[in-house]
Amino acid sequence: MEQDVLCFFDKKPEALPMYEAFEQKIFLEMDGVKVKVQKTQIAFSNRHNFAFVSFLPVRKAKERPEVYIVVTFGLGYRLESPRIDAAVEPYPGRWTHHVLLSKAGEIDDELMGWIKEAAAFSDSKR
């Protein structure tokens, strides 16, 4: 585990195992992925960023679990699913989706399908 990832989870170490499970799934299921740890998020990229992990408050505080991470990804359309906590269209034809995860079991085939689709969408950009 990279030191910068450990530093990112310094204030929320209980969320680190969930992140590790997500990162491991990405590396197992996708090739050529790079990770960049930033101040407020961890970005996953191919040619461009396609997924992010953060602690974005996508739910009201009383509705958020004590331990969580938020996975963010972009698609060319608005994804309709009860798992999506928020979706915004920052640019025409580009939808950003936020999914709050509170346990590693939520890193399933459905989520990973969306992440793979986001990677392909990102890779198709100029």
Side-chain angles (χ1 to χ4, degrees):
M1 179 70 44
E2 296 284 327
Q3 186 63 37
D4 49 356
V5 171
L6 295 174
C7 288
F8 184 85
F9 286 93
D10 193 37
K11 292 184 178 155
K12 298 189 184 218
E14 61 281 352
L16 180 59
M18 223 178 328
Y19 168 79
E20 290 173 321
F22 181 70
E23 181 187 74
Q24 182 180 31
K25 278 273 226 188
I26 284 185
F27 288 146
L28 282 173
E29 297 183 20
M30 304 170 74
D31 294 324
V33 176
K34 297 180 197 80
V35 176
K36 182 177 181 186
V37 179
Q38 300 165 311
K39 186 176 179 179
T40 60
Q41 64 188 10
I42 299 175
F44 294 85
S45 64
N46 40 36
R47 287 181 351 155
H48 303 287
N49 293 338
F50 63 84
F52 305 86
V53 169
S54 70
F55 297 110
L56 195 66
V58 295
R59 293 183 192 165
K60 293 179 181 174
K62 64 181 179 184
E63 297 172 7
R64 281 193 305 262
E66 200 171 308
V67 177
Y68 73 94
I69 60 174
V70 173
V71 173
T72 301
F73 56 91
L75 297 173
Y77 62 96
R78 183 182 183 136
L79 181 62
E80 296 295 337
S81 169
R83 295 181 70 180
I84 305 296
D85 283 280
V88 295
E89 188 178 27
Y91 306 102
R94 178 166 180 93
W95 285 88
T96 301
H97 301 81
H98 305 285
V99 178
L100 187 145
L101 304 177
S102 60
K103 53 186 177 258
E106 294 172 319
I107 305 165
D108 58 9
D109 291 343
E110 181 179 51
L111 177 66
M112 292 311 296
W114 296 337
I115 298 301
K116 290 174 190 172
E117 188 177 351
F121 178 66
S122 165
D123 201 36
S124 71
K125 300 275 179 217
R126 284 190 252 162

